[in-house]
Amino acid sequence: MDKAAKLLELAKDNFEEGEEVLSYVDGAFQATVKNRNTMRTGVLIATNKKLRFCGKRLFFIYDDVIEYSDIYKVELTKEKFGDTIFIDGKKQSYFMRFIISKEVSNFFNIIKEYKGKRF
């Protein structure tokens, strides 16, 4: 089992009832925590109810949630070392950088389709 598959299984422990994985990408997730930019490696998962980031470092598991209703806009850019997805949210902005997944355009289209929806 590869790292992304292990992280998907860890993330599923926190899923709501009826929540299913639609697509995911792996890379480095950047968000602001306690007024500091943090970058963590892991998977960003698009489910049928929300976006979830799952990453693991030593014995600590990161589980960040972004509600689709909190997303204003999403942008996909191609860069030298992989794709980047920018998510502009109500509370803060997020980046998923250095994405090397082949499913990035499918993942991006799912976010665009679901953004602004309430579940």
Side-chain angles (χ1 to χ4, degrees):
M1 188 180 280
D2 67 338
K3 182 179 177 181
K6 288 178 185 176
L7 290 173
L8 280 173
E9 290 303 314
L10 285 173
K12 287 181 182 178
D13 292 342
N14 297 323
F15 278 18
E16 297 174 359
E17 187 175 326
E19 192 170 2
E20 300 173 7
V21 175
L22 300 175
S23 184
Y24 70 92
V25 293
D26 57 339
F29 185 71
Q30 181 179 346
T32 304
V33 177
K34 296 181 183 177
N35 294 328
R36 290 188 158 169
N37 279 335
T38 62
M39 190 173 289
R40 298 172 260 178
T41 59
V43 293
L44 186 60
I45 307 163
T47 71
N48 57 338
K49 297 192 178 196
K50 55 186 76 173
L51 282 176
R52 293 181 173 272
F53 170 77
C54 185
K56 186 175 180 194
R57 184 172 184 192
L58 297 175
F59 301 107
F60 190 76
I61 298 171
Y62 300 105
D63 183 37
D64 295 331
V65 175
I66 306 168
E67 298 288 339
Y68 286 122
S69 60
D70 292 344
I71 298 174
Y72 289 131
K73 80 176 173 183
V74 182
E75 296 175 0
L76 174 65
T77 57
K78 305 279 185 188
E79 296 184 7
K80 186 176 183 178
F81 296 108
D83 299 329
T84 297
I85 294 177
F86 169 70
I87 302 168
D88 186 18
K90 288 181 183 176
K91 298 175 187 170
Q92 64 181 353
S93 296
Y94 308 91
F95 289 91
M96 189 65 175
R97 298 182 184 272
F98 311 115
I99 300 171
I100 54 173
S101 300
K102 293 181 169 96
E103 297 291 322
V104 70
S105 60
N106 180 43
F107 181 84
F108 178 71
N109 291 332
I110 289 170
I111 297 173
K112 280 180 35 179
E113 178 184 337
Y114 279 85
K115 80 177 176 68
K117 291 186 180 182
R118 298 195 130 217
F119 295 94

